[in-house]
């Protein structure tokens, strides 16, 4: 099967998954107690007003009609109207999306940059100080709660040393890049980086620690394989044996985990976003849940679901590239 | 096949000891072996599983990994060319025309792999990287040997200018890749040489798309990439179908005749030895117990272990009713469990009191071509010297008695 057909088929499967997510998310509203009207109507609203609001919200119609209305709305990019914020939900969600994606990608990049070399060193210098340092780090990193690490970093780096800003960033990556390109001003991107470092480190630490362990054990496994001995026997330099041969095969499971993690970061960076007052999806969902802002909750969950599906398809495509034994089937 | 007698051997292994320091204790995998291998001969090392054959091979290549270590001995390799290129840097490793591989720095030693020494392994499927094409892997061998030969003395040849940064660059820029186009072409030539049809197409395939026999041919091609002087073949046919085994062996012999390389063949299969070897050494419990020409050892085996091995070959004439297995198993090679006597004594049908007192050495009086670590080489067997049949079982019982006594205290 060719790669194009593989991607088309996986995309269709992905659409099915997204449809499932939408349906579940839609039904979620009906199994939670309380009517959306309660959150829109004033406390002293008359029954007539409440009925009118229900009609405005489309709540008087049968569920299946509401469902198809919602579905067709989604296809047009309409996620409903957030009465609490007084704006369409899709606009609010889309405005929060870049911050979340930037943070997730930055944390993943931090993790990849530190974890893979550290894991490789740890494996090639097994039972040496480097290895002990790396394994200790990964144990500490895995067991440190995110919120605590975030708060400590803010306390020490921002408040104590005054090096980096504490919270709520003033500028996103795209405006910062626009400033750099069109106005030739570097200050935007500098502010962006300064605000990105602590959240990315906080979010990336657990991730780094986990990948260090995966890389280390994977590398130890691969370095013990006969093909590594054969590669040494033909006189290859050790760097080539380590990186081109052993690491390549170690990366196969790591890519899978990286993909799953990146997916979960899009929805699951809630605590880190909260600690750093990050204008992302995580804080948006928390705020929306507190006030039962259903269009926002539903829309955000769907966007997160789509993110998961897209990343998984990308991982599968990459997987077949890395591992020739897996064909496009 | 050509036997050069009276010439200086190409490879002289002296008192080589390789130990593994495991949690259970020290394992004497190779326990002081001496070998001399001549130019352009096929030398066989025969023995049961666990007798130290493969460790011997890996020791010669310098590929012993932790927890293993070569603790003693020399591997003298005759190469005037090598003496000339490294003599100034490592004078302590040089003696006349010979270089002591053990005394070389690991980096210099690495440059000898592929160019001077090459190895083929037992299981071709696991000896190729599953995620790189066969052509690419053979081309790597070609490339590394070209780089090593281009400048054998420079520091660059030791890392071959290929560090982590080059690796990262190579993932983005094809021009920085380790393997160059010419090496891939050479890899295809090599595949053709070992008789792989459609080498251009096959080079693009991954190991799992090859059959075992074809992949073993590819491994031979890979080993020959650097035109090595010595090819170490570790059980090259064990993982193959019987019909393919003969093809691979014939290929090896053919290539040996063409190139004049020396082959160190490691096998447990006496049929393979008979077909391939000029001379052989029989290995038992980390020692060479008998060595000599194929003719000497097969027709006139002295050591009871060799006799036992030969006695356990099926005989198609039907003159023997049953095979005669050697009783017992290969002994534990743990240092603290190895007795100070002939290691074979407890399985030996002809063990004598003398065998228990002192381990036998290679006799001086024997001809240099055929030597045995056995007292029977100079005394003829007399049944009256034999130990009682239950000697070792009673001895074991005694030791166990002592151990359990010790345990209760």
């Amino acid at each position: 099967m060719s790669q194009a057909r593989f991607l088309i088929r996986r995309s269709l499967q992905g659409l099915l998954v997204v449809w499932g997510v939408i349906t579940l998310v839609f039904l979620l509203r009906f199994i939670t107690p309380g009517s959306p009207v309660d959150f829109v109507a004033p406390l002293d609203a008359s029954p007539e007003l409440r009925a009118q609001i229900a009609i405005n919200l489309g709540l008087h119609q049968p569920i299946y009609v509401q469902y198809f209305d919602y579905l067709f709305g989604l296809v047009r990019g309409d996620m409903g109207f957030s009465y609490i914020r007084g704006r369409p939900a899709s606009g609010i969600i889309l405005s929060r999306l870049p911050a979340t994606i930037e943070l997730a990608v930055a944390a993943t990049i931090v993790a990849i940059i530190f974890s893979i070399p550290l894991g490789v060193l740890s494996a090639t210098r097994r039972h040496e100080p480097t290895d002990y340092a790396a394994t200790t780090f990964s144990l500490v990193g895995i067991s440190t709660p995110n919120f605590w690490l975030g708060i400590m970093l803010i306390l020490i780096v921002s408040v104590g040393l005054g090096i980096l800003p504490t919270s709520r960033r003033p500028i996103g990556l795209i405006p910062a890049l626009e400033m750099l390109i069109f106005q030739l001003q570097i200050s935007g991107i500098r502010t962006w980086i300064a605000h990105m470092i602590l959240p990315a480190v906080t979010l990336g630490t657990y991730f780094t620690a986990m990948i260090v362990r995966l890389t280390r054990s994977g590398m130890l496994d691969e370095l013990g394989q006969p093909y590594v001995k054969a590669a040494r026997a033909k006189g290859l330099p050790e760097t080539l044996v380590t990186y081109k041969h052993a690491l390549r095969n170690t990366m196969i499971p790591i890519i899978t985990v990286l993909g799953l993690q990146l997916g979960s970061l899009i929805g699951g960076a809630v605590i880190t976003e909260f600690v750093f007052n990050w204008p992302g999806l995580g804080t948006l969902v928390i705020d929306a849940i507190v006030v039962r802002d259903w269009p926002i909750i539903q829309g955000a969950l769907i966007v997160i679901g789509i993110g998961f599906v897209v990343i998984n398809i990308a991982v599968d495509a990459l997987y077949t590239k890395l591992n020739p034994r897996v064909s496009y089937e | 096949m050509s036997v050069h007698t009276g010439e200086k051997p190409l490879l002289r292994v002296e008192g080589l000891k390789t130990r593994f320091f495991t949690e259970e204790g020290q394992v004497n995998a190779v326990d002081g072996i001496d070998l001399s291998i001549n130019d352009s001969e096929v030398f066989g090392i025969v023995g049961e599983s666990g007798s130290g054959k493969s460790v011997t091979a890996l020791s010669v290549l310098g590929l012993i990994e932790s927890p293993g270590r070569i603790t003693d001995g020399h591997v003298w390799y005759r190469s005037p060319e090598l003496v000339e290129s490294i003599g100034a840097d490592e004078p302590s490793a040089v003696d006349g025309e010979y270089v002591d591989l053990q005394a070389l720095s690991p980096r210099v030693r690495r440059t000898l792999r592929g160019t001077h020494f090459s190895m083929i392994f037992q299981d071709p499927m696991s000896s190729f990287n599953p995620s790189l094409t066969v052509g690419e892997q053979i081309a790597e061998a070609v490339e590394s040997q070209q780089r090593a030969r281009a400048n054998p003395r420079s520091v660059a040849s030791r890392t071959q200018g290929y560090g982590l940064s080059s690796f990262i660059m190579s993932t983005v820029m094809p021009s920085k890749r380790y393997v160059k186009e010419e090496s891939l072409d050479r890899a295809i030539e090599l595949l053709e040489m070992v008789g792989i049809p459609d080498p251009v197409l096959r080079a693009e395939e991954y190991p799992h798309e090859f059959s075992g026999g074809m992949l073993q041919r590819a491994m031979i091609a890979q080993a020959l990439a650097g035109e090595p002087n010595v090819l170490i073949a570790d059980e090259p046919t064990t993982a193959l179908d019987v019909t393919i085994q003969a093809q691979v062996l014939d290929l090896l012999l053919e290539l040996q005749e063409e190139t004049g390389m020396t082959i160190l063949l490691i096998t447990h299969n006496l049929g393979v030895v008979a077909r391939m070897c000029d001379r052989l050494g029989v290995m038992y419990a980390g020692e060479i117990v008998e060595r000599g020409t194929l003719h000497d050892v097969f027709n006139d085996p002295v050591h009871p272990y060799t006799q036992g091995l030969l006695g356990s070959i099926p005989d198609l004439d039907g003159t023997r009713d049953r095979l005669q297995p050697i009783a017992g198993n290969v002994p534990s090679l743990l240092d603290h469990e190895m007795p100070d006597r002939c290691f074979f004594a407890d399985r030996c049908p002809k063990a004598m009191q003398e065998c228990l007192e002192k381990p036998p050495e290679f006799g001086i009086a024997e001809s240099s071509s055929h030597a045995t670590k056995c007292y029977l080489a100079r005394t003829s067997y007399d049944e009256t010297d034999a130990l009682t049949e239950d000697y070792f079982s009673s001895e074991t019982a005694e030791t166990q008695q002592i151990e359990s006594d010790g345990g209760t205290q």
Side-chain angles (χ1 to χ4, degrees):
Chain A
M1 204 148 105
S2 74
Q3 190 170 9
R5 277 188 61 193
F6 166 80
L7 285 177
I8 290 169
R9 213 182 65 169
R10 282 307 314 259
S11 305
L12 289 176
Q13 286 173 345
L15 271 182
L16 265 179
V17 174
V18 170
W19 174 67
V21 170
I22 292 170
T23 310
L24 276 179
V25 160
F26 175 79
L27 291 175
L28 200 62
R29 182 155 67 83
F30 294 92
I31 56 170
T32 9
S35 163
V37 176
D38 300 340
F39 296 92
V40 178
L43 281 175
D44 55 350
S46 65
E48 292 77 30
L49 181 60
R50 293 179 62 90
Q52 188 56 46
I53 289 171
I55 290 171
N56 283 352
L57 291 176
L59 299 175
H60 63 295
Q61 282 173 315
I63 287 185
Y64 70 89
V65 175
Q66 292 188 37
Y67 176 65
F68 283 110
D69 278 351
Y70 188 64
L71 219 51
F72 288 124
L74 282 181
V75 173
R76 294 194 308 269
D78 175 13
M79 294 175 168
F81 190 85
S82 166
Y83 281 89
I84 287 159
R85 290 172 186 257
R87 281 194 290 147
S90 51
I92 299 171
I93 291 167
L94 287 183
S95 72
R96 294 296 194 101
L97 200 54
T100 288
I101 292 178
E102 285 164 29
L103 179 57
V105 170
T108 308
I109 290 174
V110 166
I112 292 172
I113 288 176
F114 288 103
S115 64
I116 290 173
L118 206 57
V120 170
L121 274 182
S122 186
T124 52
R125 306 187 179 181
R126 196 182 181 184
H127 301 319
E128 286 177 34
T130 324
D131 180 25
Y132 294 127
T135 39
T136 310
F137 162 77
S138 75
L139 186 66
V140 172
I142 280 183
S143 22
T144 307
N146 261 355
F147 72 91
W148 184 83
L149 180 65
I151 292 168
M152 283 302 129
L153 284 176
I154 290 177
L155 265 180
I156 297 168
V157 181
S158 304
V159 180
L161 302 172
I163 301 175
L164 294 170
T166 53
S167 66
R168 193 166 270 266
R169 60 182 199 159
I171 189 166
L173 178 62
I174 291 164
L177 286 177
E178 280 171 355
M179 257 179 89
L180 185 67
I181 295 164
F182 297 118
Q183 301 166 22
L184 294 174
Q185 282 189 344
I186 204 167
S187 63
I189 200 88
R190 268 173 53 194
T191 314
W192 180 81
I193 291 173
H195 278 84
M196 185 56 84
I197 292 174
L198 289 188
V201 167
T202 306
L203 198 54
T205 298
Y206 172 82
F207 208 11
T208 309
M210 193 180 62
I211 305 285
V212 167
R213 303 205 125 195
L214 267 181
T215 312
R216 179 178 184 272
S217 63
M219 281 298 284
L220 284 177
D221 206 31
E222 293 298 333
L223 286 171
Q225 296 291 322
Y227 74 79
V228 166
K229 191 160 269 177
R232 287 184 180 135
K234 65 187 179 189
L236 292 190
E238 199 57 30
T239 348
L240 203 68
V241 175
T242 308
Y243 290 98
K244 185 172 170 186
H245 283 264
L247 182 61
R248 192 187 173 90
N249 290 319
T250 310
M251 284 309 286
I252 295 170
I254 291 178
I255 290 283
T256 315
V257 175
L258 274 175
L260 286 175
Q261 281 290 323
L262 185 60
S264 72
L265 285 190
I266 287 183
V270 179
I271 291 168
T272 310
E273 288 193 2
F274 191 75
V275 169
F276 288 96
N277 200 0
W278 194 256
L281 273 186
T283 41
L284 180 69
V285 172
I286 293 276
D287 292 345
I289 288 174
V290 171
V291 298
R292 297 223 192 157
D293 193 348
W294 277 108
I296 300 275
I297 299 174
Q298 290 173 327
L301 289 181
I302 290 167
V303 166
I304 290 165
I306 292 173
F308 245 107
V309 167
V310 168
I311 288 166
N312 271 302
I313 293 174
V315 166
D316 281 352
L318 204 58
Y319 203 88
T320 44
K321 277 262 177 290
L322 272 174
N323 187 353
R325 283 163 297 179
V326 176
S327 53
Y328 297 111
E329 277 169 15
Chain B
M1 282 197 250
S2 53
V3 183
H4 299 254
T5 42
E7 207 184 89
K8 283 186 256 178
L10 180 69
L11 204 59
R12 240 172 46 219
V13 178
E14 285 175 359
L16 184 72
K17 291 187 179 174
T18 306
R19 310 261 187 258
F20 286 83
F21 299 91
T22 66
E23 280 173 14
E24 290 95 68
Q26 176 186 326
V27 178
N28 299 339
V30 174
D31 199 23
I33 68 167
D34 302 295
L35 282 177
S36 64
I37 298 166
N38 298 324
D39 214 348
S40 302
E41 76 172 344
V42 180
F43 189 95
I45 296 183
V46 204
E48 285 167 276
S49 313
S51 59
K53 308 180 301 267
S54 296
V55 177
T56 307
L58 293 172
S59 304
V60 170
L61 271 182
L63 281 177
I64 295 293
E65 282 161 36
S66 176
R69 196 149 39 85
I70 296 171
T71 52
D72 199 12
H74 306 276
V75 180
W76 293 102
Y77 170 58
R78 184 165 59 82
S79 170
E81 172 203 354
L82 188 62
V83 168
E84 197 177 310
S85 67
I86 61 149
D89 295 334
E90 313 221 11
S92 59
V94 174
D95 178 19
E97 284 187 324
Y98 284 90
V99 177
D100 183 7
L101 302 180
Q102 268 314 104
L104 293 178
S105 71
R107 284 178 166 182
V108 174
R109 197 153 188 201
R110 208 211 71 228
T111 64
L112 302 182
R113 287 182 214 134
T115 52
H116 290 263
F117 297 88
S118 217
M119 183 156 178
I120 54 181
F121 295 86
Q122 177 170 354
D123 181 9
M125 277 298 171
S126 60
S127 300
F128 274 101
N129 189 331
S131 53
L132 295 171
T133 62
V134 170
E136 164 103 16
Q137 297 188 56
I138 297 175
E140 275 181 344
V142 174
E143 190 75 34
S144 91
Q145 273 113 57
Q146 276 174 355
R147 293 183 191 214
R149 280 195 204 279
N151 202 348
R153 283 183 62 184
S154 74
V155 177
S157 82
R158 293 174 193 165
T159 62
Q160 299 185 336
Y162 197 92
L164 179 54
S165 56
S166 336
F167 173 75
I168 293 169
M169 291 296 282
S170 72
T171 56
V172 236
M173 289 165 68
S175 64
K176 295 277 179 195
R177 286 179 54 188
Y178 183 74
V179 170
K180 301 273 183 286
E181 204 57 43
E182 304 86 72
S183 306
L184 277 168
D185 294 342
R186 173 75 184 133
I188 291 167
E189 279 174 36
L190 285 163
L191 284 174
E192 195 165 15
M193 188 176 82
V194 296
I196 290 182
D198 290 332
V200 180
L201 291 176
R202 300 311 301 256
E204 293 290 309
E205 291 183 5
Y206 290 93
H208 69 276
E209 297 169 278
F210 276 65
S211 69
M214 281 296 145
L215 205 54
Q216 190 60 288
R217 283 173 188 265
M219 181 141 65
I220 293 170
Q222 175 174 276
L224 296 181
E227 291 161 18
N229 293 345
V230 180
L231 177 68
I232 300 175
D234 186 1
E235 304 264 14
T237 56
T238 308
L240 305 178
D241 288 345
V242 180
T243 47
I244 309 292
Q245 289 187 358
Q247 290 179 14
V248 169
L249 292 177
D250 286 345
L251 173 69
L252 275 176
L253 276 182
E254 213 175 278
L255 292 167
Q256 194 262 341
E257 258 165 46
E258 246 170 65
T259 60
M261 65 186 169
T262 304
I263 296 181
L264 177 58
L265 180 73
I266 288 161
T267 181
H268 64 270
N269 186 333
L270 290 165
V272 171
V273 172
R275 187 185 187 114
M276 300 281 292
C277 296
D278 302 309
R279 295 195 305 136
L280 70 141
V282 178
M283 231 178 144
Y284 185 80
E287 287 186 328
I288 297 277
V289 293
E290 180 155 4
R291 59 177 188 224
T293 61
L294 183 67
H295 182 270
D296 286 342
V297 176
F298 270 54
N299 293 343
D300 184 22
V302 176
H303 200 286
Y305 179 65
T306 317
Q307 292 171 352
L309 278 183
L310 290 166
S312 57
I313 306 178
D315 184 356
L316 291 181
D317 299 341
T319 47
R320 263 198 316 251
D321 295 341
R322 292 178 65 91
L323 294 182
Q324 294 171 339
I326 306 174
N329 286 311
V330 181
S332 154
L333 297 179
L334 280 171
D335 188 53
H336 60 85
E337 285 178 13
M338 287 179 93
D340 187 25
R341 61 162 194 239
C342 172
F343 300 142
F344 188 59
D346 56 342
R347 296 172 76 186
C348 184
K350 299 177 181 173
M352 302 172 288
Q353 194 59 40
E354 203 177 3
C355 307
L356 305 177
E357 284 157 9
K358 201 164 78 68
E361 295 296 327
F362 280 121
I364 310 157
E366 297 162 279
S367 74
S368 62
S369 67
H370 187 191
T372 315
K373 266 194 185 175
C374 183
Y375 292 115
L376 293 173
R378 46 188 168 77
T379 50
S380 54
Y381 182 59
D382 181 353
E383 290 198 6
T384 53
D385 292 337
L387 299 165
T388 52
E389 258 181 39
D390 57 348
Y391 180 84
F392 285 102
S393 44
S394 60
E395 186 199 51
T396 331
E398 261 170 48
T399 358
Q400 277 166 354
Q401 188 62 38
I402 294 166
E403 275 171 12
S404 63
D405 285 353
T408 50
Q409 277 167 7

